[in-house]
Amino acid sequence: MTAGITDEERRRLDGIAADSTYGAGANGAMVRHSFEIFRRYIRPGPILELGPAEGIMTDALVTLGEPLTVVEGAKVFCEQIQARWPQAEVVNALFEEFSPRQAFRTIVLGHVLEHVDDPVGLLRRAQHWLTDDGRILAAVPNARSLHRQAAVIMGMLPFEEALNDADRKHGHRRVYNPETFRRDFLEAGFRIEVFGGYWLKPVSNGQIERDWTPEMLKAFMSLGERYPDIAGEIYVVAGKP
């Protein structure tokens, strides 16, 4: 990245952070559920989290008691996380600028790849940060989610991968489907160990937050694991070839 592009990207991230609602309501419950899935695959050893935003995933990762490094481009998020967790190493940097001092056994990308300009490039770079037996755990929204399919039928979206208002607010650059998500990992040279999904999501976040009970939300989070191709969120566990 040139200096001008770097400065522009920092301003973009700081602008998103200044009006972020990513960790609120149903989205917050979604991140907490994704941790419950990820923890099944986390082995003992140093953990790197990229793009924590408000730090909901960070709050959960800290409970594992492993050395934790967090890299976030938005300064305000870094300050908030460091204040809560002084024992963590919090790095305010763009991913392209980051150069770790150690290898990590687990790298967590919770809703990161839909944000970055070059996801395959980031994955190739991150592969060098892993131990030989290390894993990347990544999750993204699924374009094939039931609520997106319904939006196309109702004329609210032109096609499933189109960006909606919430995507634009959160700074998304793309919406993955199961095939394109797996493709990026394979193009980056990873071996996919697990592909899955969670949160069977038939309606929008606003409707869920207005009408659903916490018990309903938890049930539909789990139900999505049975139907990954049409779940609201999809995830990959990947290792070195």
Side-chain angles (χ1 to χ4, degrees), residues 33 37 140-147 149 177-178 182 195-202 219-235:
H33 190 84
I37 292 174
V140 297
N142 182 13
R144 209 162 288 150
S145 172
L146 288 178
H147 81 290
Q149 293 192 51
N177 62 44
R182 293 191 293 261
F195 167 79
Y198 56 99
W199 195 4
L200 197 63
K201 183 180 178 184
F220 276 81
M221 289 283 176
S222 298
L223 193 59
E225 296 189 52
R226 303 183 186 182
Y227 307 99
D229 279 355
I230 58 171
E233 307 290 325
I234 47 179
Y235 70 91

PDB file of all heavy atoms in Angstrom, residues 33 37 140-147 149 177-178 182 195-202 219-235:
ATOM      1  N   HIS A  33     -22.085 -16.695  19.252  1.00  0.00           N
ATOM      2  CA  HIS A  33     -22.302 -18.071  18.811  1.00  0.00           C
ATOM      3  C   HIS A  33     -21.138 -18.556  17.955  1.00  0.00           C
ATOM      4  O   HIS A  33     -20.743 -19.726  18.039  1.00  0.00           O
ATOM      5  CB  HIS A  33     -23.611 -18.200  18.028  1.00  0.00           C
ATOM      6  CG  HIS A  33     -24.000 -19.613  17.756  1.00  0.00           C
ATOM      7  ND1 HIS A  33     -24.694 -20.371  18.675  1.00  0.00           N
ATOM      8  CD2 HIS A  33     -23.763 -20.435  16.695  1.00  0.00           C
ATOM      9  CE1 HIS A  33     -24.878 -21.595  18.190  1.00  0.00           C
ATOM     10  NE2 HIS A  33     -24.324 -21.654  16.985  1.00  0.00           N
ATOM     11  N   ILE A  37     -18.603 -22.031  18.251  1.00  0.00           N
ATOM     12  CA  ILE A  37     -18.188 -22.945  17.198  1.00  0.00           C
ATOM     13  C   ILE A  37     -16.667 -22.976  17.085  1.00  0.00           C
ATOM     14  O   ILE A  37     -16.046 -24.044  17.047  1.00  0.00           O
ATOM     15  CB  ILE A  37     -18.829 -22.541  15.858  1.00  0.00           C
ATOM     16  CG1 ILE A  37     -20.338 -22.767  15.906  1.00  0.00           C
ATOM     17  CG2 ILE A  37     -18.206 -23.334  14.691  1.00  0.00           C
ATOM     18  CD1 ILE A  37     -21.074 -22.259  14.698  1.00  0.00           C
ATOM     19  N   VAL A 140     -18.029 -15.569   7.657  1.00  0.00           N
ATOM     20  CA  VAL A 140     -18.535 -14.450   6.855  1.00  0.00           C
ATOM     21  C   VAL A 140     -20.051 -14.596   6.700  1.00  0.00           C
ATOM     22  O   VAL A 140     -20.590 -15.691   6.845  1.00  0.00           O
ATOM     23  CB  VAL A 140     -17.895 -14.422   5.437  1.00  0.00           C
ATOM     24  CG1 VAL A 140     -16.395 -14.193   5.509  1.00  0.00           C
ATOM     25  CG2 VAL A 140     -18.209 -15.698   4.669  1.00  0.00           C
ATOM     26  N   PRO A 141     -20.755 -13.514   6.369  1.00  0.00           N
ATOM     27  CA  PRO A 141     -22.177 -13.642   6.015  1.00  0.00           C
ATOM     28  C   PRO A 141     -22.337 -14.443   4.735  1.00  0.00           C
ATOM     29  O   PRO A 141     -21.468 -14.417   3.854  1.00  0.00           O
ATOM     30  CB  PRO A 141     -22.620 -12.188   5.820  1.00  0.00           C
ATOM     31  CG  PRO A 141     -21.596 -11.356   6.530  1.00  0.00           C
ATOM     32  CD  PRO A 141     -20.315 -12.108   6.402  1.00  0.00           C
ATOM     33  N   ASN A 142     -23.457 -15.134   4.612  1.00  0.00           N
ATOM     34  CA  ASN A 142     -23.725 -16.013   3.480  1.00  0.00           C
ATOM     35  C   ASN A 142     -24.751 -15.379   2.543  1.00  0.00           C
ATOM     36  O   ASN A 142     -25.888 -15.104   2.942  1.00  0.00           O
ATOM     37  CB  ASN A 142     -24.251 -17.363   3.989  1.00  0.00           C
ATOM     38  CG  ASN A 142     -24.506 -18.362   2.885  1.00  0.00           C
ATOM     39  OD1 ASN A 142     -24.086 -18.182   1.747  1.00  0.00           O
ATOM     40  ND2 ASN A 142     -25.202 -19.436   3.232  1.00  0.00           N
ATOM     41  N   ALA A 143     -24.361 -15.174   1.291  1.00  0.00           N
ATOM     42  CA  ALA A 143     -25.280 -14.589   0.312  1.00  0.00           C
ATOM     43  C   ALA A 143     -26.506 -15.465   0.084  1.00  0.00           C
ATOM     44  O   ALA A 143     -27.562 -14.973  -0.308  1.00  0.00           O
ATOM     45  CB  ALA A 143     -24.556 -14.365  -1.012  1.00  0.00           C
ATOM     46  N   ARG A 144     -26.373 -16.767   0.339  1.00  0.00           N
ATOM     47  CA  ARG A 144     -27.467 -17.688   0.080  1.00  0.00           C
ATOM     48  C   ARG A 144     -28.397 -17.843   1.288  1.00  0.00           C
ATOM     49  O   ARG A 144     -29.297 -18.701   1.285  1.00  0.00           O
ATOM     50  CB  ARG A 144     -26.910 -19.049  -0.341  1.00  0.00           C
ATOM     51  CG  ARG A 144     -27.829 -19.833  -1.255  1.00  0.00           C
ATOM     52  CD  ARG A 144     -27.082 -20.940  -1.978  1.00  0.00           C
ATOM     53  NE  ARG A 144     -26.215 -20.387  -2.998  1.00  0.00           N
ATOM     54  CZ  ARG A 144     -25.062 -20.943  -3.399  1.00  0.00           C
ATOM     55  NH1 ARG A 144     -24.646 -22.063  -2.856  1.00  0.00           N
ATOM     56  NH2 ARG A 144     -24.352 -20.371  -4.341  1.00  0.00           N
ATOM     57  N   SER A 145     -28.203 -17.040   2.306  1.00  0.00           N
ATOM     58  CA  SER A 145     -29.087 -17.062   3.468  1.00  0.00           C
ATOM     59  C   SER A 145     -30.547 -16.916   3.044  1.00  0.00           C
ATOM     60  O   SER A 145     -30.873 -16.221   2.072  1.00  0.00           O
ATOM     61  CB  SER A 145     -28.714 -15.918   4.408  1.00  0.00           C
ATOM     62  OG  SER A 145     -29.654 -15.790   5.457  1.00  0.00           O
ATOM     63  N   LEU A 146     -31.426 -17.581   3.790  1.00  0.00           N
ATOM     64  CA  LEU A 146     -32.853 -17.518   3.468  1.00  0.00           C
ATOM     65  C   LEU A 146     -33.364 -16.084   3.371  1.00  0.00           C
ATOM     66  O   LEU A 146     -34.180 -15.763   2.490  1.00  0.00           O
ATOM     67  CB  LEU A 146     -33.659 -18.279   4.530  1.00  0.00           C
ATOM     68  CG  LEU A 146     -33.567 -19.798   4.509  1.00  0.00           C
ATOM     69  CD1 LEU A 146     -34.382 -20.376   5.667  1.00  0.00           C
ATOM     70  CD2 LEU A 146     -34.075 -20.354   3.186  1.00  0.00           C
ATOM     71  N   HIS A 147     -32.905 -15.211   4.256  1.00  0.00           N
ATOM     72  CA  HIS A 147     -33.440 -13.847   4.244  1.00  0.00           C
ATOM     73  C   HIS A 147     -32.990 -13.089   2.995  1.00  0.00           C
ATOM     74  O   HIS A 147     -33.724 -12.242   2.481  1.00  0.00           O
ATOM     75  CB  HIS A 147     -33.061 -13.096   5.526  1.00  0.00           C
ATOM     76  CG  HIS A 147     -31.692 -12.517   5.561  1.00  0.00           C
ATOM     77  ND1 HIS A 147     -30.548 -13.296   5.641  1.00  0.00           N
ATOM     78  CD2 HIS A 147     -31.263 -11.217   5.548  1.00  0.00           C
ATOM     79  CE1 HIS A 147     -29.485 -12.513   5.680  1.00  0.00           C
ATOM     80  NE2 HIS A 147     -29.890 -11.256   5.618  1.00  0.00           N
ATOM     81  N   GLN A 149     -32.374 -14.645   0.027  1.00  0.00           N
ATOM     82  CA  GLN A 149     -33.163 -15.228  -1.060  1.00  0.00           C
ATOM     83  C   GLN A 149     -34.565 -14.622  -1.094  1.00  0.00           C
ATOM     84  O   GLN A 149     -35.098 -14.317  -2.166  1.00  0.00           O
ATOM     85  CB  GLN A 149     -33.244 -16.747  -0.889  1.00  0.00           C
ATOM     86  CG  GLN A 149     -31.910 -17.467  -1.056  1.00  0.00           C
ATOM     87  CD  GLN A 149     -32.089 -18.962  -1.166  1.00  0.00           C
ATOM     88  OE1 GLN A 149     -32.878 -19.446  -1.967  1.00  0.00           O
ATOM     89  NE2 GLN A 149     -31.354 -19.701  -0.347  1.00  0.00           N
ATOM     90  N   ASN A 177     -20.777 -16.465  -1.180  1.00  0.00           N
ATOM     91  CA  ASN A 177     -21.615 -17.647  -1.099  1.00  0.00           C
ATOM     92  C   ASN A 177     -20.701 -18.813  -0.718  1.00  0.00           C
ATOM     93  O   ASN A 177     -19.471 -18.645  -0.646  1.00  0.00           O
ATOM     94  CB  ASN A 177     -22.379 -17.888  -2.407  1.00  0.00           C
ATOM     95  CG  ASN A 177     -21.471 -18.140  -3.599  1.00  0.00           C
ATOM     96  OD1 ASN A 177     -20.498 -18.880  -3.510  1.00  0.00           O
ATOM     97  ND2 ASN A 177     -21.789 -17.518  -4.739  1.00  0.00           N
ATOM     98  N   PRO A 178     -21.224 -19.994  -0.436  1.00  0.00           N
ATOM     99  CA  PRO A 178     -20.355 -21.083   0.014  1.00  0.00           C
ATOM    100  C   PRO A 178     -19.220 -21.417  -0.956  1.00  0.00           C
ATOM    101  O   PRO A 178     -18.100 -21.722  -0.535  1.00  0.00           O
ATOM    102  CB  PRO A 178     -21.322 -22.260   0.173  1.00  0.00           C
ATOM    103  CG  PRO A 178     -22.619 -21.607   0.550  1.00  0.00           C
ATOM    104  CD  PRO A 178     -22.658 -20.359  -0.284  1.00  0.00           C
ATOM    105  N   ARG A 182     -15.079 -20.843  -0.101  1.00  0.00           N
ATOM    106  CA  ARG A 182     -14.104 -21.937  -0.155  1.00  0.00           C
ATOM    107  C   ARG A 182     -13.046 -21.678  -1.234  1.00  0.00           C
ATOM    108  O   ARG A 182     -11.863 -21.978  -1.050  1.00  0.00           O
ATOM    109  CB  ARG A 182     -14.812 -23.266  -0.394  1.00  0.00           C
ATOM    110  CG  ARG A 182     -15.698 -23.718   0.760  1.00  0.00           C
ATOM    111  CD  ARG A 182     -16.151 -25.155   0.589  1.00  0.00           C
ATOM    112  NE  ARG A 182     -17.049 -25.326  -0.530  1.00  0.00           N
ATOM    113  CZ  ARG A 182     -18.378 -25.397  -0.429  1.00  0.00           C
ATOM    114  NH1 ARG A 182     -18.959 -25.298   0.759  1.00  0.00           N
ATOM    115  NH2 ARG A 182     -19.125 -25.573  -1.499  1.00  0.00           N
ATOM    116  N   PHE A 195     -16.056 -27.096   6.606  1.00  0.00           N
ATOM    117  CA  PHE A 195     -16.935 -26.024   6.144  1.00  0.00           C
ATOM    118  C   PHE A 195     -18.269 -26.192   6.862  1.00  0.00           C
ATOM    119  O   PHE A 195     -18.796 -27.305   6.951  1.00  0.00           O
ATOM    120  CB  PHE A 195     -17.166 -26.082   4.632  1.00  0.00           C
ATOM    121  CG  PHE A 195     -18.301 -25.193   4.182  1.00  0.00           C
ATOM    122  CD1 PHE A 195     -18.111 -23.837   4.033  1.00  0.00           C
ATOM    123  CD2 PHE A 195     -19.569 -25.717   3.951  1.00  0.00           C
ATOM    124  CE1 PHE A 195     -19.165 -23.004   3.652  1.00  0.00           C
ATOM    125  CE2 PHE A 195     -20.625 -24.904   3.558  1.00  0.00           C
ATOM    126  CZ  PHE A 195     -20.416 -23.542   3.411  1.00  0.00           C
ATOM    127  N   GLY A 196     -18.808 -25.108   7.380  1.00  0.00           N
ATOM    128  CA  GLY A 196     -20.082 -25.197   8.080  1.00  0.00           C
ATOM    129  C   GLY A 196     -20.824 -23.879   8.064  1.00  0.00           C
ATOM    130  O   GLY A 196     -20.404 -22.900   7.450  1.00  0.00           O
ATOM    131  N   GLY A 197     -21.954 -23.863   8.757  1.00  0.00           N
ATOM    132  CA  GLY A 197     -22.765 -22.659   8.852  1.00  0.00           C
ATOM    133  C   GLY A 197     -23.493 -22.594  10.179  1.00  0.00           C
ATOM    134  O   GLY A 197     -23.506 -23.561  10.945  1.00  0.00           O
ATOM    135  N   TYR A 198     -24.069 -21.461  10.462  1.00  0.00           N
ATOM    136  CA  TYR A 198     -24.884 -21.277  11.665  1.00  0.00           C
ATOM    137  C   TYR A 198     -25.846 -20.121  11.426  1.00  0.00           C
ATOM    138  O   TYR A 198     -25.678 -19.345  10.492  1.00  0.00           O
ATOM    139  CB  TYR A 198     -24.019 -21.025  12.906  1.00  0.00           C
ATOM    140  CG  TYR A 198     -23.059 -19.852  12.802  1.00  0.00           C
ATOM    141  CD1 TYR A 198     -23.369 -18.614  13.350  1.00  0.00           C
ATOM    142  CD2 TYR A 198     -21.844 -19.991  12.152  1.00  0.00           C
ATOM    143  CE1 TYR A 198     -22.497 -17.543  13.257  1.00  0.00           C
ATOM    144  CE2 TYR A 198     -20.958 -18.928  12.058  1.00  0.00           C
ATOM    145  CZ  TYR A 198     -21.293 -17.709  12.604  1.00  0.00           C
ATOM    146  OH  TYR A 198     -20.424 -16.646  12.489  1.00  0.00           O
ATOM    147  N   TRP A 199     -26.881 -20.045  12.247  1.00  0.00           N
ATOM    148  CA  TRP A 199     -27.930 -19.030  12.202  1.00  0.00           C
ATOM    149  C   TRP A 199     -28.812 -19.183  10.959  1.00  0.00           C
ATOM    150  O   TRP A 199     -28.580 -18.539   9.939  1.00  0.00           O
ATOM    151  CB  TRP A 199     -27.360 -17.619  12.272  1.00  0.00           C
ATOM    152  CG  TRP A 199     -28.407 -16.576  12.600  1.00  0.00           C
ATOM    153  CD1 TRP A 199     -29.717 -16.790  12.898  1.00  0.00           C
ATOM    154  CD2 TRP A 199     -28.210 -15.160  12.686  1.00  0.00           C
ATOM    155  NE1 TRP A 199     -30.352 -15.598  13.158  1.00  0.00           N
ATOM    156  CE2 TRP A 199     -29.448 -14.580  13.032  1.00  0.00           C
ATOM    157  CE3 TRP A 199     -27.115 -14.321  12.495  1.00  0.00           C
ATOM    158  CZ2 TRP A 199     -29.610 -13.224  13.193  1.00  0.00           C
ATOM    159  CZ3 TRP A 199     -27.289 -12.965  12.655  1.00  0.00           C
ATOM    160  CH2 TRP A 199     -28.516 -12.423  12.999  1.00  0.00           C
ATOM    161  N   LEU A 200     -29.817 -20.026  11.054  1.00  0.00           N
ATOM    162  CA  LEU A 200     -30.845 -20.092  10.025  1.00  0.00           C
ATOM    163  C   LEU A 200     -31.693 -18.829  10.183  1.00  0.00           C
ATOM    164  O   LEU A 200     -32.428 -18.681  11.157  1.00  0.00           O
ATOM    165  CB  LEU A 200     -31.691 -21.354  10.202  1.00  0.00           C
ATOM    166  CG  LEU A 200     -32.517 -21.763   8.983  1.00  0.00           C
ATOM    167  CD1 LEU A 200     -31.622 -22.102   7.806  1.00  0.00           C
ATOM    168  CD2 LEU A 200     -33.415 -22.935   9.316  1.00  0.00           C
ATOM    169  N   LYS A 201     -31.571 -17.936   9.223  1.00  0.00           N
ATOM    170  CA  LYS A 201     -32.070 -16.565   9.380  1.00  0.00           C
ATOM    171  C   LYS A 201     -33.127 -16.277   8.317  1.00  0.00           C
ATOM    172  O   LYS A 201     -32.798 -15.905   7.192  1.00  0.00           O
ATOM    173  CB  LYS A 201     -30.889 -15.590   9.253  1.00  0.00           C
ATOM    174  CG  LYS A 201     -31.225 -14.134   9.465  1.00  0.00           C
ATOM    175  CD  LYS A 201     -29.962 -13.289   9.311  1.00  0.00           C
ATOM    176  CE  LYS A 201     -30.270 -11.810   9.472  1.00  0.00           C
ATOM    177  NZ  LYS A 201     -29.078 -10.971   9.234  1.00  0.00           N
ATOM    178  N   PRO A 202     -34.418 -16.417   8.649  1.00  0.00           N
ATOM    179  CA  PRO A 202     -35.456 -16.227   7.633  1.00  0.00           C
ATOM    180  C   PRO A 202     -35.846 -14.774   7.390  1.00  0.00           C
ATOM    181  O   PRO A 202     -36.434 -14.463   6.350  1.00  0.00           O
ATOM    182  CB  PRO A 202     -36.638 -17.013   8.207  1.00  0.00           C
ATOM    183  CG  PRO A 202     -36.450 -16.939   9.685  1.00  0.00           C
ATOM    184  CD  PRO A 202     -34.958 -16.929   9.909  1.00  0.00           C
ATOM    185  N   ALA A 219     -31.995 -20.841  19.375  1.00  0.00           N
ATOM    186  CA  ALA A 219     -32.396 -22.047  18.650  1.00  0.00           C
ATOM    187  C   ALA A 219     -32.078 -21.935  17.169  1.00  0.00           C
ATOM    188  O   ALA A 219     -31.575 -22.888  16.546  1.00  0.00           O
ATOM    189  CB  ALA A 219     -33.894 -22.307  18.858  1.00  0.00           C
ATOM    190  N   PHE A 220     -32.343 -20.774  16.564  1.00  0.00           N
ATOM    191  CA  PHE A 220     -32.089 -20.612  15.140  1.00  0.00           C
ATOM    192  C   PHE A 220     -30.600 -20.493  14.833  1.00  0.00           C
ATOM    193  O   PHE A 220     -30.165 -20.851  13.735  1.00  0.00           O
ATOM    194  CB  PHE A 220     -32.884 -19.429  14.586  1.00  0.00           C
ATOM    195  CG  PHE A 220     -34.298 -19.785  14.222  1.00  0.00           C
ATOM    196  CD1 PHE A 220     -35.285 -19.861  15.192  1.00  0.00           C
ATOM    197  CD2 PHE A 220     -34.642 -20.058  12.908  1.00  0.00           C
ATOM    198  CE1 PHE A 220     -36.592 -20.206  14.863  1.00  0.00           C
ATOM    199  CE2 PHE A 220     -35.950 -20.406  12.567  1.00  0.00           C
ATOM    200  CZ  PHE A 220     -36.925 -20.484  13.544  1.00  0.00           C
ATOM    201  N   MET A 221     -29.808 -19.994  15.791  1.00  0.00           N
ATOM    202  CA  MET A 221     -28.356 -20.033  15.616  1.00  0.00           C
ATOM    203  C   MET A 221     -27.892 -21.474  15.468  1.00  0.00           C
ATOM    204  O   MET A 221     -27.135 -21.822  14.560  1.00  0.00           O
ATOM    205  CB  MET A 221     -27.650 -19.398  16.820  1.00  0.00           C
ATOM    206  CG  MET A 221     -27.781 -17.912  16.931  1.00  0.00           C
ATOM    207  SD  MET A 221     -26.714 -17.043  15.787  1.00  0.00           S
ATOM    208  CE  MET A 221     -27.254 -15.348  16.137  1.00  0.00           C
ATOM    209  N   SER A 222     -28.355 -22.334  16.360  1.00  0.00           N
ATOM    210  CA  SER A 222     -27.958 -23.740  16.320  1.00  0.00           C
ATOM    211  C   SER A 222     -28.547 -24.458  15.116  1.00  0.00           C
ATOM    212  O   SER A 222     -27.889 -25.305  14.498  1.00  0.00           O
ATOM    213  CB  SER A 222     -28.391 -24.440  17.610  1.00  0.00           C
ATOM    214  OG  SER A 222     -27.757 -23.865  18.736  1.00  0.00           O
ATOM    215  N   LEU A 223     -29.790 -24.139  14.758  1.00  0.00           N
ATOM    216  CA  LEU A 223     -30.451 -24.796  13.638  1.00  0.00           C
ATOM    217  C   LEU A 223     -29.680 -24.586  12.340  1.00  0.00           C
ATOM    218  O   LEU A 223     -29.640 -25.471  11.471  1.00  0.00           O
ATOM    219  CB  LEU A 223     -31.882 -24.274  13.505  1.00  0.00           C
ATOM    220  CG  LEU A 223     -32.839 -25.049  12.596  1.00  0.00           C
ATOM    221  CD1 LEU A 223     -32.988 -26.493  13.054  1.00  0.00           C
ATOM    222  CD2 LEU A 223     -34.196 -24.352  12.573  1.00  0.00           C
ATOM    223  N   GLY A 224     -29.048 -23.432  12.203  1.00  0.00           N
ATOM    224  CA  GLY A 224     -28.272 -23.153  11.004  1.00  0.00           C
ATOM    225  C   GLY A 224     -27.119 -24.110  10.797  1.00  0.00           C
ATOM    226  O   GLY A 224     -26.656 -24.297   9.659  1.00  0.00           O
ATOM    227  N   GLU A 225     -26.631 -24.739  11.866  1.00  0.00           N
ATOM    228  CA  GLU A 225     -25.539 -25.701  11.721  1.00  0.00           C
ATOM    229  C   GLU A 225     -25.992 -26.937  10.949  1.00  0.00           C
ATOM    230  O   GLU A 225     -25.171 -27.668  10.377  1.00  0.00           O
ATOM    231  CB  GLU A 225     -24.995 -26.086  13.090  1.00  0.00           C
ATOM    232  CG  GLU A 225     -24.357 -24.910  13.832  1.00  0.00           C
ATOM    233  CD  GLU A 225     -23.618 -25.327  15.081  1.00  0.00           C
ATOM    234  OE1 GLU A 225     -22.773 -26.240  14.996  1.00  0.00           O
ATOM    235  OE2 GLU A 225     -23.892 -24.741  16.150  1.00  0.00           O
ATOM    236  N   ARG A 226     -27.293 -27.209  10.912  1.00  0.00           N
ATOM    237  CA  ARG A 226     -27.810 -28.359  10.154  1.00  0.00           C
ATOM    238  C   ARG A 226     -27.942 -28.056   8.660  1.00  0.00           C
ATOM    239  O   ARG A 226     -28.017 -28.979   7.851  1.00  0.00           O
ATOM    240  CB  ARG A 226     -29.185 -28.767  10.703  1.00  0.00           C
ATOM    241  CG  ARG A 226     -29.194 -29.115  12.181  1.00  0.00           C
ATOM    242  CD  ARG A 226     -30.582 -29.577  12.609  1.00  0.00           C
ATOM    243  NE  ARG A 226     -30.669 -29.784  14.053  1.00  0.00           N
ATOM    244  CZ  ARG A 226     -31.755 -30.225  14.684  1.00  0.00           C
ATOM    245  NH1 ARG A 226     -32.851 -30.514  13.976  1.00  0.00           N
ATOM    246  NH2 ARG A 226     -31.759 -30.369  15.992  1.00  0.00           N
ATOM    247  N   TYR A 227     -27.991 -26.773   8.311  1.00  0.00           N
ATOM    248  CA  TYR A 227     -28.239 -26.377   6.928  1.00  0.00           C
ATOM    249  C   TYR A 227     -27.231 -25.301   6.503  1.00  0.00           C
ATOM    250  O   TYR A 227     -27.591 -24.152   6.243  1.00  0.00           O
ATOM    251  CB  TYR A 227     -29.668 -25.837   6.783  1.00  0.00           C
ATOM    252  CG  TYR A 227     -30.719 -26.779   7.315  1.00  0.00           C
ATOM    253  CD1 TYR A 227     -31.271 -26.590   8.579  1.00  0.00           C
ATOM    254  CD2 TYR A 227     -31.152 -27.871   6.554  1.00  0.00           C
ATOM    255  CE1 TYR A 227     -32.227 -27.467   9.078  1.00  0.00           C
ATOM    256  CE2 TYR A 227     -32.113 -28.738   7.041  1.00  0.00           C
ATOM    257  CZ  TYR A 227     -32.645 -28.538   8.296  1.00  0.00           C
ATOM    258  OH  TYR A 227     -33.599 -29.407   8.783  1.00  0.00           O
ATOM    259  N   PRO A 228     -25.954 -25.650   6.418  1.00  0.00           N
ATOM    260  CA  PRO A 228     -24.923 -24.628   6.197  1.00  0.00           C
ATOM    261  C   PRO A 228     -25.074 -23.853   4.893  1.00  0.00           C
ATOM    262  O   PRO A 228     -24.790 -22.648   4.864  1.00  0.00           O
ATOM    263  CB  PRO A 228     -23.611 -25.421   6.229  1.00  0.00           C
ATOM    264  CG  PRO A 228     -24.000 -26.836   5.966  1.00  0.00           C
ATOM    265  CD  PRO A 228     -25.365 -26.989   6.566  1.00  0.00           C
ATOM    266  N   ASP A 229     -25.525 -24.490   3.813  1.00  0.00           N
ATOM    267  CA  ASP A 229     -25.586 -23.789   2.533  1.00  0.00           C
ATOM    268  C   ASP A 229     -26.578 -22.633   2.535  1.00  0.00           C
ATOM    269  O   ASP A 229     -26.417 -21.678   1.768  1.00  0.00           O
ATOM    270  CB  ASP A 229     -25.937 -24.764   1.402  1.00  0.00           C
ATOM    271  CG  ASP A 229     -24.730 -25.554   0.925  1.00  0.00           C
ATOM    272  OD1 ASP A 229     -23.618 -25.266   1.410  1.00  0.00           O
ATOM    273  OD2 ASP A 229     -24.899 -26.458   0.099  1.00  0.00           O
ATOM    274  N   ILE A 230     -27.614 -22.703   3.382  1.00  0.00           N
ATOM    275  CA  ILE A 230     -28.612 -21.630   3.416  1.00  0.00           C
ATOM    276  C   ILE A 230     -28.629 -20.908   4.761  1.00  0.00           C
ATOM    277  O   ILE A 230     -29.545 -20.140   5.047  1.00  0.00           O
ATOM    278  CB  ILE A 230     -30.017 -22.163   3.088  1.00  0.00           C
ATOM    279  CG1 ILE A 230     -30.436 -23.277   4.060  1.00  0.00           C
ATOM    280  CG2 ILE A 230     -30.093 -22.637   1.641  1.00  0.00           C
ATOM    281  CD1 ILE A 230     -31.895 -23.687   3.930  1.00  0.00           C
ATOM    282  N   ALA A 231     -27.615 -21.142   5.584  1.00  0.00           N
ATOM    283  CA  ALA A 231     -27.518 -20.439   6.872  1.00  0.00           C
ATOM    284  C   ALA A 231     -27.144 -18.976   6.651  1.00  0.00           C
ATOM    285  O   ALA A 231     -26.597 -18.600   5.607  1.00  0.00           O
ATOM    286  CB  ALA A 231     -26.477 -21.119   7.757  1.00  0.00           C
ATOM    287  N   GLY A 232     -27.406 -18.161   7.640  1.00  0.00           N
ATOM    288  CA  GLY A 232     -27.067 -16.745   7.547  1.00  0.00           C
ATOM    289  C   GLY A 232     -25.572 -16.490   7.564  1.00  0.00           C
ATOM    290  O   GLY A 232     -25.097 -15.495   7.009  1.00  0.00           O
ATOM    291  N   GLU A 233     -24.830 -17.365   8.234  1.00  0.00           N
ATOM    292  CA  GLU A 233     -23.378 -17.226   8.365  1.00  0.00           C
ATOM    293  C   GLU A 233     -22.717 -18.549   7.977  1.00  0.00           C
ATOM    294  O   GLU A 233     -23.262 -19.626   8.259  1.00  0.00           O
ATOM    295  CB  GLU A 233     -23.000 -16.887   9.816  1.00  0.00           C
ATOM    296  CG  GLU A 233     -23.737 -15.694  10.402  1.00  0.00           C
ATOM    297  CD  GLU A 233     -23.307 -14.378   9.795  1.00  0.00           C
ATOM    298  OE1 GLU A 233     -22.115 -14.233   9.470  1.00  0.00           O
ATOM    299  OE2 GLU A 233     -24.176 -13.490   9.635  1.00  0.00           O
ATOM    300  N   ILE A 234     -21.563 -18.468   7.354  1.00  0.00           N
ATOM    301  CA  ILE A 234     -20.793 -19.663   7.002  1.00  0.00           C
ATOM    302  C   ILE A 234     -19.379 -19.525   7.551  1.00  0.00           C
ATOM    303  O   ILE A 234     -18.886 -18.418   7.756  1.00  0.00           O
ATOM    304  CB  ILE A 234     -20.773 -19.911   5.477  1.00  0.00           C
ATOM    305  CG1 ILE A 234     -20.452 -18.635   4.707  1.00  0.00           C
ATOM    306  CG2 ILE A 234     -22.091 -20.504   5.022  1.00  0.00           C
ATOM    307  CD1 ILE A 234     -20.396 -18.804   3.204  1.00  0.00           C
ATOM    308  N   TYR A 235     -18.744 -20.676   7.806  1.00  0.00           N
ATOM    309  CA  TYR A 235     -17.379 -20.633   8.362  1.00  0.00           C
ATOM    310  C   TYR A 235     -16.520 -21.717   7.756  1.00  0.00           C
ATOM    311  O   TYR A 235     -17.006 -22.702   7.202  1.00  0.00           O
ATOM    312  CB  TYR A 235     -17.412 -20.744   9.883  1.00  0.00           C
ATOM    313  CG  TYR A 235     -17.814 -22.108  10.420  1.00  0.00           C
ATOM    314  CD1 TYR A 235     -16.865 -23.082  10.691  1.00  0.00           C
ATOM    315  CD2 TYR A 235     -19.158 -22.417  10.661  1.00  0.00           C
ATOM    316  CE1 TYR A 235     -17.234 -24.332  11.178  1.00  0.00           C
ATOM    317  CE2 TYR A 235     -19.534 -23.652  11.155  1.00  0.00           C
ATOM    318  CZ  TYR A 235     -18.566 -24.606  11.409  1.00  0.00           C
ATOM    319  OH  TYR A 235     -18.929 -25.840  11.887  1.00  0.00           O
TER     320      TYR A 235
END
